[in-house]
């Protein structure tokens, strides 16, 4: 993206607040604390040329202006927009004052120590608190996974390994992928790929997935599911980045139905590895413990009013399962854990009944908002979907009792 376009987009992020389209809280409700668990924003594909992408097609892949896995310039712009919107909403709800820098104790930002996560947090802070000295905390050594955000298996017992492998194999069966593989082979001309010509691996649907559940490692899979995930991830990122449509998957994806079919591979990969209860509770334990500490163990007003955590889709997927959130749908998105999407935990106080409540929403940008680089304001907000917990029944406005929510957190760390 050209620099002048980026500057223009950033300038748009400063649009004055408009009429709010957000749902008003019930009378007497006051927002007291917010914790955001965010996925990093738009990055270049993780699988670079020479790896699974190059092996899976003879076609030339488009080039990116940042290294594989790094946040792109547009990803930074999109996160500035999200930060700008979130600050407007926080000010509207009276949690943080508008037009002034927050006190050091009121805002805390913490990211995994990779370029794309730290940069995402920095751009969010820039959008939310422009000109303010709000540090982003992370491990000193960049390029290494912080234990809080590292979704690795910690149980090294043979019993757990067998249980985890069976759970992943069972989860895989929930995704019928025959049509997805057939379409992917057509898009990539897989019959002409190095994998087919040199390794005689020509039929993705006939390939076998082999799962791994080794202690100190992320849950893993080798086989067609991994190949499919890498390819569809690359196509999706091309679309979000704004590549011309004839360069997105070489112009071979022409309909929403095709996108939905292919996205089953990416969603199936993530769900298979990270959303079986057995695996999710184990790999998400450090993150659940951190969230519990921030929301429950630190007595107010010692805890930050606003906490931003930035990690990965694997963090969000495993967290949602570990806390037993009910199934959800994200309108306008094919990804179950979208780029830049945020799980927003909100602690509210009901003054009339003198009680605390929890509300959890998925705040995210639709596929078109991401591709179009749409500025976000209260008048033009991101998508917001109320999430429901199995152990914390919500009312019509999406609020559940605080005590029930703390019970969910306590049970998840046992």
């Amino acid at each position: 993206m050209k620099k002048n376009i980026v500057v223009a987009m950033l300038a748009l992020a400063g649009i004055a607040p408009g009429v709010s389209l957000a749902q008003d809280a019930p009378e007497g409700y006051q927002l007291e604390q917010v914790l955001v668990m965010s996925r990093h924003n738009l990055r270049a594909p993780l699988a670079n040329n020479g790896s699974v992408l190059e092996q899976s097609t003879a076609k030339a892949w488009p080039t990116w202006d940042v290294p594989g896995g790094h946040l792109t310039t547009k990803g930074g712009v999109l996160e500035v927009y999200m930060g700008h919107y979130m600050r407007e909403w926080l000010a509207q709800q009276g949690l943080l004052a508008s037009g002034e820098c927050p006190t050091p104790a009121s805002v805390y930002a913490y990211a995994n120590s990779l370029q794309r996560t730290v940069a995402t947090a920095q751009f969010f802070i820039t959008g939310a608190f422009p000109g303010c000295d709000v540090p982003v905390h992370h491990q000193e050594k960049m390029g290494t996974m912080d234990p809080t955000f590292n979704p690795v298996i910690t149980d090294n017992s043979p019993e757990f390994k067998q249980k985890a492998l069976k759970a992943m194999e069972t989860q895989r069966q929930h995704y019928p992928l025959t049509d997805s593989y057939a379409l992917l082979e057509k898009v990539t001309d897989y019959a002409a790929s190095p994998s087919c010509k040199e390794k005689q691996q020509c039929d993705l649907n006939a390939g076998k997935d082999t799962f791994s559940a080794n202690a100190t490692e992320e849950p893993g899979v080798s086989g067609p599911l991994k190949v499919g995930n890498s390819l569809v991830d690359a196509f999706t990122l091309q679309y979000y980045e704004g590549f011309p449509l004839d360069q997105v998957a070489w112009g071979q994806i022409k309909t929403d139905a095709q996108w939905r079919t292919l996205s089953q591979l990416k969603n199936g990969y993530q769900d298979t590895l990270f959303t079986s209860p057995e695996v999710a509770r184990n790999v998400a334990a450090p993150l659940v413990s951190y969230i519990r500490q921030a929301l429950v163990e630190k007595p107010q007003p010692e805890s930050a009013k606003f906490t931003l955590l930035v990690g990965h889709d694997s963090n969000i997927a495993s967290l949602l399962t570990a806390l037993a959130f009910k199934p959800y749908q994200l309108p306008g998105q094919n990804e179950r854990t979208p780029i830049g999407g945020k799980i927003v935990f909100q602690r509210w106080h009901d003054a009339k009944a003198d009680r605390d409540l929890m509300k959890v929403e998925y705040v995210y940008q639709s596929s078109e908002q991401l591709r179009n680089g749409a500025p976000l304001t209260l008048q033009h907000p991101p998508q917001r979907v109320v999430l429901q917990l199995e152990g914390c029944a919500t009312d019509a406005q999406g609020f559940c009792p605080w005590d029930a929510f703390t019970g969910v957190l306590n049970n998840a760390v046992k």
Side-chain angles (χ1 to χ4, degrees):
M1 182 177 293
K2 296 180 179 178
K3 287 186 177 179
N4 60 332
I5 297 177
V6 174
V7 171
M9 293 173 76
L10 285 167
L12 283 171
I15 293 174
V19 178
S20 171
L21 299 181
Q23 182 180 11
D24 292 331
E27 184 180 352
Y29 280 38
Q30 176 60 49
L31 183 62
E32 296 202 330
Q33 187 180 13
V34 169
L35 183 144
V36 171
M37 177 60 224
S38 176
R39 183 186 178 191
H40 58 77
N41 216 295
L42 185 57
R43 56 162 170 77
L46 289 168
N48 296 315
N49 290 356
S51 61
V52 65
L53 298 187
E54 199 168 69
Q55 291 295 308
S56 300
T57 183
K59 300 179 182 182
W61 289 92
T63 57
W64 292 71
D65 59 2
V66 297
H70 280 217
L71 196 76
T72 68
T73 300
K74 184 177 180 181
V77 172
L78 292 168
E79 200 60 33
V80 168
Y81 290 165
M82 186 64 88
H84 172 76
Y85 164 78
M86 192 65 70
R87 173 62 179 276
E88 284 191 341
W89 176 71
L90 294 171
Q92 179 196 51
Q93 302 303 330
L95 186 68
L96 295 175
S98 180
E100 61 186 53
C101 291
T103 62
S106 63
V107 173
Y108 190 80
Y110 174 31
N112 189 28
S113 43
L114 300 183
Q115 186 273 349
R116 61 184 175 276
T117 44
V118 172
T120 293
Q122 290 170 335
F123 279 112
F124 180 96
I125 293 299
T126 297
F129 311 107
C132 301
D133 185 16
V134 179
V136 173
H137 300 270
H138 59 84
Q139 282 189 150
E140 183 177 355
K141 187 177 180 181
M142 290 289 288
T144 60
M145 294 291 287
D146 184 313
T148 299
F149 300 100
N150 198 4
V152 297
I153 292 170
T154 58
D155 190 329
N156 62 2
S157 69
E159 294 79 12
F160 178 83
K161 182 174 183 177
Q162 290 306 310
K163 188 165 61 174
L165 290 172
K166 184 177 180 180
M168 287 189 280
E169 290 168 357
T170 301
Q171 198 79 355
R172 165 64 184 86
Q173 300 310 311
H174 295 165
Y175 280 83
L177 298 175
T178 302
D179 292 344
S180 301
Y181 284 132
L183 178 56
L184 187 61
E185 289 176 356
K186 181 180 178 182
V187 169
T188 59
D189 190 11
Y190 200 69
S193 71
S195 287
C196 180
K197 288 192 169 185
E198 299 170 11
K199 302 177 183 177
Q200 287 70 55
Q201 297 173 356
C202 302
D203 186 348
L204 289 170
N205 198 56
K208 179 175 174 55
D209 291 316
T210 303
F211 297 98
S212 62
N214 301 319
T216 74
E217 297 176 6
E218 290 190 22
V221 63
S222 60
L225 188 60
K226 182 175 183 179
V227 173
N229 173 70
S230 296
L231 291 166
V232 176
D233 179 63
F235 301 153
T236 303
L237 296 171
Q238 292 169 3
Y239 185 82
Y240 291 163
E241 181 70 10
F243 279 71
L245 289 177
D246 63 354
Q247 292 182 28
V248 176
W250 310 283
Q252 296 299 304
I253 307 176
K254 302 180 184 299
T255 67
D256 289 341
Q258 288 177 315
W259 276 115
R260 287 192 296 271
T261 297
L262 290 173
S263 293
Q264 288 293 301
L265 289 165
K266 193 168 187 298
N267 292 332
Y269 173 88
Q270 182 185 85
D271 283 0
T272 296
L273 296 187
F274 294 103
T275 68
S276 66
E278 295 86 350
V279 173
R281 286 177 67 96
N282 183 265
V283 302
L287 182 58
V288 172
S289 293
Y290 187 94
I291 291 173
R292 179 176 176 273
Q293 182 183 35
L295 291 177
V296 178
E297 292 185 359
K298 288 185 178 179
Q300 294 181 305
E302 293 179 20
S303 56
K305 291 183 178 180
F306 179 79
T307 300
L308 172 69
L309 308 177
V310 182
H312 307 270
D313 52 357
S314 54
N315 295 134
I316 290 179
S318 57
L319 175 68
L320 291 177
T321 298
L323 297 183
F325 278 91
K326 296 180 180 180
Y328 61 91
Q329 298 292 326
L330 300 182
Q333 258 294 347
N334 291 317
E335 292 191 283
R336 285 183 49 75
T337 54
I339 280 283
K342 291 161 174 59
I343 308 300
V344 182
F345 295 89
Q346 309 158 34
R347 181 173 184 166
W348 293 78
H349 184 71
D350 174 8
K352 290 184 177 180
D354 191 23
R355 58 175 183 159
D356 283 355
L357 300 158
M358 169 57 60
K359 184 175 185 178
V360 187
E361 291 180 280
Y362 213 137
V363 179
Y364 64 98
Q365 289 152 295
S366 69
S367 296
E368 293 309 303
Q369 284 178 314
L370 290 167
R371 178 168 174 81
N372 296 334
L376 302 174
T377 65
L378 291 176
Q379 190 175 16
H380 302 285
Q383 313 301 305
R384 298 185 72 140
V385 170
V386 175
L387 299 178
Q388 297 182 326
L389 287 153
E390 292 286 357
C392 194
T394 56
D395 61 20
Q397 286 80 36
F399 295 90
C400 77
W402 178 255
D403 289 345
F405 174 71
T406 58
V408 169
L409 286 177
N410 291 336
N411 288 333
V413 297
K414 285 182 179 178

